[in-house]
Amino acid sequence: RSVRRGRQLASLCQARWASMPKPCPLSADELEAVAKEHGTPFQLYDEAGIEDQARGLIKAFAGSFPGFKQFYAVKALPNPAILRLLTRAGCGLDCSSASELFVADKLGVAPEDVMYTSNFTSKADLLTAARQGVVINLDDISLVEDLAGVCKGAGLPFPKLICFRFNPGLGRTDSETASNVLGGPDAKFGVPREDLLAAYSRAKALGATRFGLHMMTGSCVMSDDYWTETVSVLLQALAEGASGAGIA
């Protein structure tokens, strides 16, 4: 079942990329006119194109996974105007720093539509996320106690919903940049499989009642088979953690 779900995800991505149109929204003459008016270099964004693609992506996945929610990585393009377009199209925001949480807050994005995923997270940043009420995605089992401590110190309850970034023990990139490998035994990101049950159990003991699992093992990976493999491992680990910790 896990392998089948993994293949389903991979085929959805492949179909979406294959059908993605890439026309320039302006003619050469119009581009020349924009350059003359505003100077160069400048960034030109296709508002309708961005929104249409975001809606199309959400629709493609939601058809097979009811309740699907797309969280856009703010670090990819932290332009408030673009983020506003994406949230209007139905995306949530994935933030990796307190400054990105600040942008999400100023844009008025609902806390449940913001996920905070960070690495080597400070207690101060954990407190910012907790106060903002966003979905917190912890990168290491030690952060469970850090989060509990800052919540207690600020008179806040431990979050009812908690997520963990999972390191499945494998990672890959098809680029020449070795740092694009974000999973595996040498990666600094994520909770290893052997710590996952303890992480869920401790969060449950602290008051969490809803749980999530997140994974990113590489950037610039073009192989469908790889995603089938990694998603299968993710679903298997989720089932093991849920069963072992007694969570739904």
Side-chain angles (χ1 to χ4, degrees), residues 71-172:
F71 286 82
Y72 178 78
V74 175
K75 69 166 65 175
L77 181 58
N79 181 324
I82 302 302
L83 298 178
R84 190 176 290 110
L85 274 181
L86 291 167
T87 56
R88 187 171 71 194
C91 293
L93 299 181
D94 181 70
C95 300
S96 62
S97 66
S99 60
E100 292 176 10
L101 286 174
F102 176 82
V103 173
D105 184 53
K106 290 302 179 183
L107 289 173
V109 182
E112 62 269 22
D113 291 333
V114 178
M115 178 168 280
Y116 178 55
T117 304
S118 61
N119 185 245
F120 293 120
T121 314
S122 70
K123 292 181 180 180
D125 286 355
L126 283 174
L127 181 57
T128 296
R131 281 179 168 158
Q132 201 164 319
V134 302
V135 180
I136 298 177
N137 186 32
L138 299 177
D139 181 68
D140 187 84
I141 190 172
S142 66
L143 295 177
V144 177
E145 300 302 332
D146 287 349
L147 178 59
V150 299
C151 286
K152 183 177 180 180
L156 298 170
F158 191 82
K160 293 297 184 184
L161 170 58
I162 200 75
C163 295
F164 291 100
R165 180 171 180 168
F166 172 51
N167 183 343
L170 67 158
R172 171 174 169 169

Side-chain angles (χ1 to χ4, degrees), residues 173-196:
T173 183
D174 292 332
S175 72
E176 297 179 357
T177 305
S179 60
N180 280 339
V181 178
L182 305 175
D186 298 324
K188 66 179 181 178
F189 303 102
V191 179
R193 194 165 188 163
E194 59 269 22
D195 289 340
L196 201 55

Side-chain angles (χ1 to χ4, degrees), residues 192-204:
R193 194 165 188 163
E194 59 269 22
D195 289 340
L196 201 55
L197 175 56
Y200 277 128
S201 297
R202 183 57 182 147
K204 180 183 177 184

